[in-house]
Amino acid sequence: MSHKRSRPLILIDASGWLFRAYHALPPLTTPRGEHTGAVLGMANMLRRLLKDYAPEEIAVVFDAPGKTFRDEIYSEYKANRDATPEDLSIQFPMIAELVQAMGLPLLAIAGVEADDVIGTLASQADAAGKDVLIVTSDKDLAQLVNTRISLLDTMKNRRMDPAGVVEKFGVPPERIIDYLTLVGDTSDNIPGVPLVGPKTAAKWLVEHGSLDAIVNNAEQIKGKAGENLRASLGQIPMSRQLATIRCDVELPLRFDQLHPAPPDVDKLAGLYRRFEFRRLLEELESSAPPATAAPAPVAVIEAPIAAPGEVPVEVPAGAPAEAAPAAEPPPQESKKTRDELVVDEAAFAAMLEKLEAAEVICLDTETDALSAMQSGLVGLAFAVEQGHGWYVPVAHNYLGAPEQLPMQDVLRRLKPILEDPRKPKLGQHIKYDLNVLARHGIEVQGVAYDTMLESYVLDAAGNRHDMDTLADKYLGHSTIHFSDVAGKGKSQITFNQVSLDVASAYSAEDADITLRLHHVLYPRLCEVPALKKVFETIEMPLVPVLAGIERNGVKVDGPLLGRISTELAGRMDELQAQVWQQAEGEFNLGSPKQLQAILYDKLKLPVLGKTPKGEPSTAEDVLEELAAQHPLPRLILDWRAMQKLRSTYTDNLPREINPQTGRIHTSYHQAVAATGRLSSQDPNLQNIPVRTAEGRRIRQAFIAEPGNAVLSIDYSQIELRLMAHFSGDARLQDAFAKGLDIHQATAAEVFGIPLEEVGEQRRAAKAINFGLIYGMSAFGLARQLAIGRGEAQDYIDRFFARYPGVKQFMDSTREQAKTRGYVETLYGRRLYLPNILSRNAAQRQYAERTAINAPLQGTAADLIKLAMIDVAAWIAAHAPRLRMIMQVHDELVFEGPQAELRARAPELADRMCRVSQLAVPLVADWGVGANWDEAHTSQGHASSAQKPA
DNA sequence: TGCGGGTGCAA
DNA sequence: TATTGCACCCGCA
């Protein structure tokens, strides 16, 4: 049974909303001088909510004036609050009128706050299995969030679900009360623990689990904040009580009595006229149905409505014994790193001793350029305990730079430690440091932790994984930015020009922050054994393998690319002349905007497609269709194809050749793709052309050193095989078991013909097979195959009829995504899909497609990563003259002496196939050639391995 | 100089 | 109204 989303209950924290809207909205007055900005804001917000969510029940909840139970608990409660501005408070009665005229229930309950009313109604609805949307900008209400209850900030248009709470506060909803208790609230005058702000509170809660655990471990908590905690222990129970929203308030009605009534059109029109809301009035008059006998709205007013902050603040005699000393806002906690600049022998020796004794060594290198393959080492930073870092400068050479320890000595003495596999190393994006150090003669061993990858495995798509982002998110710490020390733009200096003091503060902090991040992230990883395993057995072992591939690089024939470029340029000139002739005027062929004007304005060709922004598209598929009616689109297509090859490949690849190595060294990014794939950058070697003959000429420029050859091995149909494995579909598995051409087999099934009679149907079957992996719709398939929607739907229906397991797999995967909020790969790598329950259909459907695709794409990524780790170890042990030089998602490319490469190819392909035992065989095809194109084209040798039956 | 939009290359 | 990426060029602030 799928969990059906019903029309929600909406609860509006009206007092809080107005207070904030008052400051956010422009001050609006009628000519008579009535202030109406907040009224209009409320009207628009309510209309929007009704339209967007069609709530089954709704209530606009105000604070009632007078004391609440919180004032009983704490005499200073809300004592700091400013009085409500008068031009806001006079709008409250107007708003009450408006809400009632709109037919919406309005609540103001004496003795409690709006939050408690909301909490009570929300928990009633939750118990009844109903979805609840709370409109608020107040963080306190985050404690109510769960899978059914979410917060909506209408001003920022953001929904906050449990994951959102974690993202914003660093703790889940059930820890929000603990969080608020620790942090306190200056506006409510709730005492927190001095020096403990949002970040420390979240950090402690993550480390200890709960406020109770923190209290129990108070003796162990270090620093000034720890002292303050111990001093505040007495007031914690009271703060906790103040921060807790009550969910058991006695109310005169239940949530299911809060149905909106039809608006009282006459009254509403009268109000709109009085407030001079012309647009709303027009809309009302143009759309209003004849007034029906409107049932009176359920408006329960237990007390007059109070403006926020109107609560009396007189202090009763006999205030609580230990009134909090924290009237002032919690000061920003200090997280400064104690940095130690190492420029003399004694300090260096002392540091080495500490490094030797450390359990984990956090390291960071500073260089004079961004590229790990070009840069020179400028300094090294280390940290072994939180709060302290060393910086060892070795090549700062600005005018007047102090003397530093000689680089060669420093490296020679660090080498035994860094190359000791028993000493675990930690870094942020440590692959960079491995490459820099390798180029300086140190092969770092024992690479155990990388905070970037810890964050990536925890939640690949939740945030970026650079240090600044992580420090902000997990430590609440704003790091010293590189641009702060080196400037930016034209005037940016390189790190060797940065003064030692500044460099030391920056670098030591980087190492320290990395260590602190590790202490937050790694425990989280350990909480989910599958993720810990992905981290330990896939991502970390892959780091040195990738570093090796990057350093190996690939040889590219620059002169060949240059010749191709010249040839293309000549042909493009001719095409351009013809285009200008056809268009009867010169224009820039590379400008979609100018081309659009020519095609659609000047030549009046039909608009067959739009860009995402709604402009007439000049994209390939559109031009392809237009080519039937006019010669110009074809010329443009040809020109574009050549322009693409030239600008992206023939002209730019030669510039990427490293002058020292004569090869191209890409960077593989391990923490970018949501699914677990790698990406390649500077240059991207994972999108080198292969489909067209013209494009393959680029691949021919990927060559080997003299005497060497290129070996390409790729997995055959890996994602479809994984679909067969996951789905358990007998027919699909059988097709792979028999070694059939899978597209041909699908064609036979879908079209109900014998295998040997499959002809043109194979193309359609291939499109279906691939579409399947991407969660394609009938609409998409129809467009792909240029057939009718009905026909496409028919294909899909027949596909699912023949492969029922696949249908079942897709349904259950979507279901899992909905109930758990994530999907996972064969190895337990997770992808969270926060939008899977979105009310926005486009977002939800997108998440559903991702839910189908991610386990397949992600498992394929896991498999080839494992294969790379295995193959790299095997090469190191058995064939050190071979080099792994590229990875392209389902393909590995090697270089080595021709004969040896050919001899070793079957073993390498076998190892790739044996990396995992699935329900269908894994097959890898390989080929050897003088260049990448030849290696690819000559593929025909296959290896195969399967789980024994 | 940086950014968004449009386009197109790969798996 | 098909998944994941990277990078080019244009046009504009």
Side-chain angles (χ1 to χ4, degrees):
Chain A
M1 274 288 283
S2 83
H3 174 57
K4 266 269 194 297
R5 292 265 133 183
S6 53
R7 293 163 60 199
L9 161 66
I10 295 187
L11 298 168
I12 296 146
D13 171 21
S15 304
W17 189 92
L18 283 168
F19 204 80
R20 212 173 128 212
Y22 173 76
H23 295 285
L25 297 171
L28 209 64
T29 52
T30 65
R32 285 201 306 279
E34 276 191 280
H35 294 267
T36 54
V39 183
L40 179 60
M42 180 63 90
N44 283 329
M45 188 264 286
L46 292 172
R47 283 158 40 82
R48 171 143 215 147
L49 287 174
L50 293 172
K51 177 163 173 285
D52 287 353
Y53 297 97
E56 194 165 19
E57 298 95 1
I58 185 167
V60 182
V61 186
F62 285 85
D63 284 321
K67 290 185 191 173
T68 69
F69 71 95
R70 288 190 180 78
D71 297 283
E72 305 291 332
I73 299 171
Y74 182 39
S75 62
E76 296 290 319
Y77 184 63
K78 293 200 171 171
N80 278 357
R81 197 160 274 194
D82 290 333
T84 307
E86 196 190 314
D87 54 355
L88 172 60
S89 61
I90 58 166
Q91 295 184 62
F92 275 69
M94 294 147 82
I95 291 164
E97 272 187 81
L98 174 87
V99 170
Q100 288 175 65
M102 289 175 89
L104 305 181
L106 186 150
L107 296 176
I109 308 295
V112 294
E113 295 185 52
D115 286 359
D116 305 296
V117 177
I118 290 172
T120 302
L121 292 168
S123 62
Q124 285 174 4
D126 182 28
K130 177 147 198 87
D131 290 328
V132 183
L133 209 52
I134 299 174
V135 175
T136 184
S137 41
D138 189 346
K139 63 184 188 304
D140 298 10
L141 285 158
Q143 64 188 265
L144 300 176
V145 169
N146 62 27
T147 51
R148 290 212 184 80
I149 304 176
S150 55
L151 303 189
L152 179 68
D153 182 340
T154 54
M155 266 159 266
K156 294 185 180 157
N157 198 21
R158 273 208 296 254
R159 275 285 278 285
M160 196 186 285
D161 56 11
V165 172
V166 173
E167 190 188 335
K168 167 126 192 232
F169 299 97
V171 299
E174 55 272 26
R175 294 271 78 82
I176 287 292
I177 295 173
D178 294 358
Y179 172 96
L180 294 169
T181 306
L182 285 168
V183 174
D185 186 332
T186 24
S187 70
D188 286 352
N189 201 24
I190 296 180
V193 177
L195 264 178
V196 173
K199 304 309 173 180
T200 306
K203 191 178 110 191
W204 285 358
L205 286 168
V206 167
E207 276 172 15
H208 298 272
S210 69
L211 179 57
D212 288 330
I214 292 169
V215 169
N216 289 336
N217 289 327
E219 292 310 316
Q220 269 77 57
I221 295 178
K222 289 185 205 142
K224 185 77 183 148
E227 280 176 43
N228 290 341
L229 169 68
R230 290 186 282 281
S232 306
L233 287 178
Q235 68 174 38
I236 279 180
M238 182 192 76
S239 294
R240 172 143 56 182
Q241 217 180 334
L242 290 172
T244 303
I245 291 174
R246 283 179 55 187
C247 296
D248 56 358
V249 172
E250 274 211 29
L251 296 176
L253 42 67
R254 282 181 44 81
F255 83 93
D256 49 15
Q257 295 170 276
L258 297 170
H259 300 287
D264 181 341
V265 175
D266 290 340
K267 195 170 167 202
L268 206 48
L271 289 171
Y272 285 170
R273 243 174 250 124
R274 180 178 138 208
F275 302 145
E276 311 211 11
F277 296 164
R278 283 192 201 84
R279 196 175 56 77
L280 293 180
L281 185 63
E282 270 170 38
E283 262 182 56
L284 187 68
E285 284 171 346
S286 66
S287 69
T292 49
V298 189
V300 176
I301 308 183
E302 291 281 281
I305 298 157
E310 243 181 42
V311 177
V313 290
E314 60 203 36
V315 184
E322 275 181 280
E328 70 273 34
Q332 206 50 51
E333 53 206 298
S334 160
K335 295 213 173 184
K336 199 163 156 39
T337 300
R338 194 159 45 82
D339 70 290
E340 195 175 325
L341 182 61
V342 179
V343 285
D344 61 57
E345 168 54 30
F348 186 63
M351 181 189 84
L352 284 181
E353 215 169 288
K354 289 274 178 57
L355 294 184
E356 285 280 4
E359 271 178 41
V360 175
I361 299 173
C362 179
L363 71 101
D364 181 29
T365 56
E366 303 298 344
T367 61
D368 57 16
L370 218 60
S371 150
M373 285 305 297
Q374 307 249 7
S375 53
L377 188 64
V378 170
L380 301 105
F382 298 93
V384 300
E385 63 184 38
Q386 296 181 57
H388 172 260
W390 292 280
Y391 181 58
V392 190
V394 291
H396 286 256
N397 53 4
Y398 53 91
L399 204 62
E403 190 178 336
Q404 298 146 59
L405 293 167
M407 186 190 300
Q408 288 321 314
D409 285 1
V410 166
L411 293 178
R412 179 175 50 77
R413 291 166 69 187
L414 280 168
K415 189 176 164 86
I417 300 175
L418 295 178
E419 292 189 345
D420 185 343
R422 294 163 307 174
K423 294 192 186 305
K425 312 301 185 303
L426 158 70
Q428 160 71 19
H429 189 16
I430 200 168
K431 174 160 64 67
Y432 179 89
D433 307 281
L434 298 192
N435 278 333
V436 170
L437 289 168
R439 290 179 40 250
H440 289 79
I442 294 180
E443 293 278 348
V444 179
Q445 303 286 320
V447 179
Y449 311 101
D450 185 328
T451 45
M452 177 182 79
L453 298 176
E454 288 172 348
S455 167
Y456 178 69
V457 173
L458 278 170
D459 185 2
N463 50 271
R464 293 168 63 228
H465 309 284
D466 59 288
M467 185 155 59
D468 289 353
T469 300
L470 297 183
D472 180 54
K473 173 170 177 175
Y474 293 103
L475 304 176
H477 180 90
S478 176
T479 48
I480 307 172
H481 293 64
F482 187 79
S483 56
D484 296 337
V485 303
K488 55 182 170 187
K490 252 169 94 113
S491 59
Q492 188 170 64
I493 53 172
T494 51
F495 206 78
N496 51 311
Q497 298 291 311
V498 173
S499 85
L500 289 194
D501 289 346
V502 173
S504 176
Y506 169 85
S507 307
E509 182 189 79
D510 273 9
D512 175 33
I513 292 294
T514 301
L515 190 59
R516 294 196 219 183
L517 280 170
H518 174 63
H519 283 282
V520 174
L521 294 173
Y522 190 64
R524 289 202 184 190
L525 217 41
C526 295
E527 284 171 19
V528 187
L531 295 185
K532 181 165 182 255
K533 197 167 171 200
V534 167
F535 177 76
E536 283 178 349
T537 63
I538 301 180
E539 299 301 348
M540 287 313 302
L542 186 64
V543 171
V545 176
L546 288 178
I549 298 177
E550 291 178 3
R551 285 203 305 283
N552 287 339
V554 55
K555 190 171 180 68
V556 166
D557 186 341
L560 172 59
L561 291 174
R563 290 196 297 277
I564 297 174
S565 179
T566 308
E567 183 201 315
L568 290 174
R571 289 161 60 190
M572 285 168 67
D573 280 347
E574 289 170 29
L575 282 169
Q576 177 172 273
Q578 291 177 40
V579 167
W580 283 352
Q581 197 185 348
Q582 292 284 340
E584 295 172 348
E586 298 190 358
F587 68 100
N588 183 347
L589 277 68
S591 165
K593 205 173 160 182
Q594 294 180 31
L595 177 60
Q596 175 202 314
I598 298 285
L599 291 178
Y600 303 115
D601 297 342
K602 194 163 180 181
L603 297 179
K604 306 284 185 214
L605 290 171
V607 176
L608 300 173
K610 297 277 183 74
T611 69
K613 272 204 71 187
E615 297 289 314
S617 169
T618 65
E620 188 177 53
D621 52 344
V622 173
L623 295 191
E624 197 65 54
E625 227 175 312
L626 288 176
Q629 357 183 342
H630 198 281
L632 200 141
R634 170 63 56 202
L635 297 174
I636 295 285
L637 283 169
D638 289 346
W639 184 89
R640 281 226 186 119
M642 293 182 205
Q643 163 70 8
K644 175 78 179 181
L645 292 180
R646 225 159 77 89
S647 67
T648 306
Y649 303 107
T650 61
D651 288 2
N652 279 325
L653 282 178
R655 296 190 234 275
E656 300 280 355
I657 297 173
N658 182 309
Q660 283 126 58
T661 65
R663 297 168 72 99
I664 287 183
H665 305 269
T666 186
S667 294
Y668 287 100
H669 289 256
Q670 213 178 335
V672 170
T675 52
R677 271 194 181 181
L678 299 177
S679 77
S680 156
Q681 209 182 43
D682 294 320
N684 183 355
L685 294 186
Q686 292 179 321
N687 71 342
I688 303 300
V690 69
R691 287 170 215 248
T692 65
E694 203 71 50
R696 281 195 295 275
R697 294 173 72 194
I698 310 288
R699 277 194 181 222
Q700 289 161 12
F702 285 72
I703 55 178
E705 300 290 345
N708 279 358
V710 176
L711 162 66
S712 155
I713 314 179
D714 66 27
Y715 284 116
S716 159
Q717 306 295 357
I718 188 159
E719 290 181 14
L720 281 172
R721 283 171 203 271
L722 289 169
M723 177 63 97
H725 173 81
F726 281 125
S727 69
D729 186 277
R731 257 193 212 98
L732 195 56
Q733 291 192 353
D734 189 54
F736 280 120
K738 288 183 175 144
L740 300 182
D741 170 340
I742 194 62
H743 302 315
Q744 193 185 13
T746 296
E749 294 290 349
V750 168
F751 297 101
I753 51 178
L755 264 184
E756 53 279 8
E757 284 176 25
V758 172
E760 75 221 25
Q761 299 94 335
R762 186 179 183 281
R763 190 180 76 91
K766 186 173 175 182
I768 298 170
N769 279 339
F770 279 109
L772 177 79
I773 293 172
Y774 304 141
M776 188 176 58
S777 61
F779 185 96
L781 183 64
R783 200 160 53 88
Q784 178 76 27
L785 291 175
I787 57 176
R789 251 194 92 165
E791 198 180 348
Q793 187 61 54
D794 193 40
Y795 288 179
I796 292 175
D797 291 344
R798 279 189 275 170
F799 180 96
F800 285 136
R802 297 306 288 166
Y803 297 118
V806 172
K807 171 87 173 119
Q808 208 187 341
F809 165 75
M810 293 176 72
D811 290 340
S812 65
T813 302
R814 271 189 287 260
E815 197 51 38
Q816 188 209 320
K818 280 176 195 188
T819 53
R820 294 204 267 186
Y822 62 85
V823 290
E824 57 193 359
T825 67
L826 187 61
Y827 293 90
R829 181 194 300 279
R830 285 184 185 179
L831 177 64
Y832 290 92
L833 297 164
N835 286 333
I836 196 78
L837 295 175
S838 172
R839 267 77 163 174
N840 178 324
Q843 280 183 23
R844 187 180 60 247
Q845 286 159 5
Y846 179 76
E848 286 178 0
R849 293 196 292 272
T850 309
I852 305 292
N853 176 259
L856 303 170
Q857 191 180 114
T859 301
D862 290 346
L863 288 173
I864 197 165
K865 283 176 171 177
L866 286 168
M868 291 165 76
I869 295 163
D870 177 67
V871 160
W874 185 84
I875 286 180
H878 300 101
R881 300 210 300 171
L882 302 193
R883 291 191 283 187
M884 204 187 313
I885 58 173
M886 283 188 282
Q887 190 255 37
V888 193
H889 307 308
D890 67 358
E891 173 184 14
L892 294 179
V893 184
F894 302 85
E895 178 183 342
Q898 193 178 6
E900 187 178 354
L901 199 60
R902 209 172 270 284
R904 300 296 199 183
E907 171 73 22
L908 292 171
D910 271 354
R911 298 194 85 87
M912 286 172 64
C913 294
R914 288 198 304 260
V915 72
S916 180
Q917 307 300 311
L918 304 176
V920 292
L922 274 180
V923 172
D925 298 318
W926 62 267
V928 174
N931 59 59
W932 193 7
D933 179 48
E934 260 188 52
H936 212 269
T937 313
S938 70
Q939 276 182 357
H941 317 75
S943 276
S944 167
Q946 181 184 12
K947 174 162 58 182

